Amino acid sequence: MRFLVTIEQDEGGYYVVDCPALPGCVSQGQTREEALANIEEAILASLETRRAQGLPDHVEVREIEVGVA
């Protein structure tokens, strides 16, 4: 499966990664690479938990275009 993730650097210098298709699936790391490795583990754990609870594998995420003046 493929998932989109967002990456932001927080005020402490850590990289925070969020997977919008899996509500609550967030991780972090001191480097981008560490943060991305950590979110992969978090995604796998989230999928396992969602399946055990009978929830769908993911929620719908769409890309939209917004005109900004």
Side-chain angles (χ1 to χ4, degrees):
M1 296 180 78
R2 295 176 64 96
F3 291 94
L4 294 175
V5 296
T6 62
I7 305 170
E8 294 183 277
Q9 193 168 20
D10 70 11
E11 62 279 351
Y14 278 81
Y15 290 90
V16 179
V17 186
D18 176 65
C19 182
L22 298 169
C25 190
V26 180
S27 195
Q28 67 179 11
Q30 290 183 330
T31 65
R32 283 179 183 266
E33 294 76 19
E34 181 182 24
L36 289 169
N38 290 343
I39 196 66
E40 284 186 39
E41 290 180 23
I43 287 170
L44 291 172
S46 179
L47 290 172
E48 184 177 310
T49 300
R50 291 177 70 83
R51 287 179 184 145
Q53 294 178 352
L55 298 170
D57 284 344
H58 63 283
V59 297
E60 184 176 356
V61 175
R62 289 199 172 201
E63 182 177 347
I64 63 168
E65 186 173 333
V66 178
V68 179

